[in-house]
Amino acid sequence: MLSSISPEVPPSAPDLAALAENHYFSTNPPPKDLAKHEALARDFINFHAAAGSRVVLVTSGGTTVPLEKQTVRFIDNFSAGTRGATSAEYFLEEGYAVLFLHRQFSLLPFSRHYSHATDCFLDFLREGPDGSVVARDEDAAKMLHVLRKYRDARDRNMLLVLPFVTISDYLYELRSVARLMRPLGPRALLYLAAAVSDFFVPPERMAEHKIQSTDAADLVKRSAGRSTSPSVEEDEETFDNFDSSPSVPRSKRLVVDLDPVPKFLKNLVEGWSPEGMIVSFKLETDPAILVHKARYSLGRYQHHLVIGNLLSTRKWEVVFVAPGQSDRWIRVPISRRKKTTISTGSGGQQQEEEEARESPVPATKDQLQQAAQQPLDPKSLPEGEPELEIESLIIPAVRDLHTRHMEGPQ
C-alpha cells in the first residue's frame, strides 16, 4: 500500500524571518561585553518600568564592517551620530528615560557640544589665576547650562550609554535591549537613528589576519635571501598603490565579496518588542524617491513611523510617513534659517502669507499646499547650520505619536 505524500509547504514569512535570525546569530559571534551591557540595560529598564516611565532606545552612529577577524581594515560610513545624540537630549527634555546605544567614539548627548573637531573642548577652557582650569568667561554660562542638564540626567538615572562598533555588535545589542524592554509594553519607544550597514562579510569568508597589499609569501622569500637594500622591483611593489596607471593587474586588486545584512526590522516589530512603538529612518540623496522608499519600508515592516530625510537638507527638514496619515513635513521655520528664503515650509498661515509676499507671482493656496509637500531646494538654504536644531521639532512630534500609540485604538 502506497502512503500518501503531502506536498512540501514553503515556509511562511515569519518562519523565514526566524530562520534568518537563527542563522545570523548562530554564525556571527556576540560582542565580548554583551552580558555586561545586558545587565546594565536590565537594571535601567526595570527601574523605569517600576516607576511607570516612558523609556526610549536611541540608536546612533554608523556600524563598521570588518574585513579581517583581527580587524585592521573595515568599511564604514560618514555618520558621526549627530542626529541620535541631539535627539537623546530632547527626549530627556520630554521626560523620557534614554538608553543610548551608540557607535563607540561617536557623538554623545551633552558632550557633543564640545567634541567636534571645530569645537574642541580645550578651546572653551583657560587657566585660572591659582592654576585651576576654568571655562572662558564668554562660554561659562552655556557650559554650566549643559553641565547641569547632564548631571541631572545622570543623577536621576535617566541616561544609560552603551557602545557598539561592528554591524554584528549592533544587531546583538539591539536584539537584547529590545527584548528587555518588553515589560514596558507600549511605553517603550525604539528610535532607530543609527546608520546601519546593508552588507557584511560572513565570518567563514573573513581573513584571519591583516589583508596584505603585497604577496606575503614572495616577500618572505625575498627577505630571506637579501642582505642589501631592496631591489628596484621590490621598491616599485611597495609603492604600487600610488601607481596612476589605469590598468592594474587583477592579482593586485582587492575584491571584497559582501553579503546583504538580513533585515531584522520585521523581527523587531513582531518578536523582539511587539508592543513598543518603533521609529526608523530613511536617508536618501535623490528627492524623487525619498517618500516612495519611506512608504515602501513602512508597508514592508509594518512598524509605526518612518522619518525620511535627504542628505543635503537633513538638518533643515524631515518627512514623517506613518500608517493611515498624510505625509507630514517638519521644517526649521523661515525665521530660524538665518536669512529669508522663498522656500515653502509648514509653519502655518503666517508663514504662507510671508512666502506669498516674497513670491514675484502671488501663489494660490493650492500652490502653497503642493509646494509644502515637496522637499526643499538645497540652493534656497543659507550656508552653515540653522539657528534651530530640527530635533527640537522632531522629538515633540514623535512624543505625540507615541502618546497615541500608548492610548491604543480609539
Side-chain angles (χ1 to χ4, degrees), residues 57-112:
L57 168 65
V58 177
T59 69
S60 183
T63 60
T64 68
V65 178
L67 301 183
E68 306 118 343
K69 292 179 181 178
Q70 298 187 49
T71 306
V72 174
R73 294 182 171 90
F74 56 87
I75 301 171
D76 203 355
N77 62 55
F78 80 98
S79 176
T82 304
R83 177 81 80 204
T86 308
S87 296
E89 290 185 28
Y90 288 106
F91 272 120
L92 288 165
E93 289 191 6
E94 293 291 333
Y96 282 83
V98 177
L99 206 162
F100 189 69
L101 181 61
H102 74 105
R103 162 73 176 277
Q104 188 178 44
F105 307 129
S106 67
L107 295 178
L108 295 172
F110 305 110
S111 65
R112 71 183 174 94

Side-chain angles (χ1 to χ4, degrees), residues 71-234:
T71 306
V72 174
R73 294 182 171 90
F74 56 87
I75 301 171
D76 203 355
N77 62 55
F78 80 98
S79 176
T82 304
R83 177 81 80 204
T86 308
S87 296
E89 290 185 28
Y90 288 106
F91 272 120
L92 288 165
E93 289 191 6
E94 293 291 333
Y96 282 83
V98 177
L99 206 162
F100 189 69
L101 181 61
H102 74 105
R103 162 73 176 277
Q104 188 178 44
F105 307 129
S106 67
L107 295 178
L108 295 172
F110 305 110
S111 65
R112 71 183 174 94
H113 299 280
Y114 308 103
S115 60
H116 193 276
T118 59
D119 286 325
C120 174
F121 78 97
L122 292 174
D123 292 332
F124 296 85
L125 304 176
R126 65 177 177 83
E127 184 177 350
D130 56 352
S132 61
V133 177
V134 297
R136 294 188 307 184
D137 294 341
E138 61 268 34
D139 301 308
K142 179 182 176 182
M143 293 190 79
L144 180 61
H145 178 70
V146 173
L147 176 62
R148 284 175 173 170
K149 285 190 171 184
Y150 170 73
R151 290 309 323 173
D152 178 69
R154 297 305 296 260
D155 292 346
R156 295 192 297 119
N157 193 31
M158 296 295 287
L159 176 64
L160 176 64
V161 175
L162 299 176
F164 64 83
V165 177
T166 71
I167 176 63
S168 182
D169 294 347
Y170 171 79
L171 292 173
Y172 266 102
E173 301 270 1
L174 174 63
R175 183 177 70 161
S176 295
V177 173
R179 288 172 168 177
L180 290 171
M181 293 178 77
R182 286 176 182 170
L184 295 164
R187 286 183 287 118
L189 173 61
L190 295 95
Y191 182 87
L192 308 178
V196 182
S197 307
D198 291 316
F199 301 94
F200 79 115
V201 181
E204 65 271 16
R205 295 209 309 271
M206 196 181 295
E208 177 66 32
H209 299 287
K210 174 188 171 185
I211 299 170
Q212 299 298 314
S213 58
T214 59
D215 190 319
D218 289 348
L219 194 62
V220 170
K221 291 178 182 178
R222 293 173 188 171
S223 299
R226 185 177 70 199
S227 58
T228 58
S229 59
S231 66
V232 173
E233 179 185 354
E234 289 174 300

Side-chain angles (χ1 to χ4, degrees), residues 375-393:
L376 292 172
D377 180 356
K379 296 178 181 177
S380 71
L381 298 170
E383 295 292 332
E385 304 286 321
E387 291 182 357
L388 182 72
E389 292 179 319
I390 195 169
E391 290 79 10
S392 68
L393 307 175

Side-chain angles (χ1 to χ4, degrees), residues 349-368:
Q349 182 66 29
Q350 183 177 356
Q351 181 168 306
E352 291 180 355
E353 291 174 355
E354 179 182 348
E355 289 161 348
R357 287 196 301 270
E358 291 175 353
S359 177
V361 178
T364 66
K365 188 171 183 179
D366 287 344
Q367 289 173 327
L368 287 170

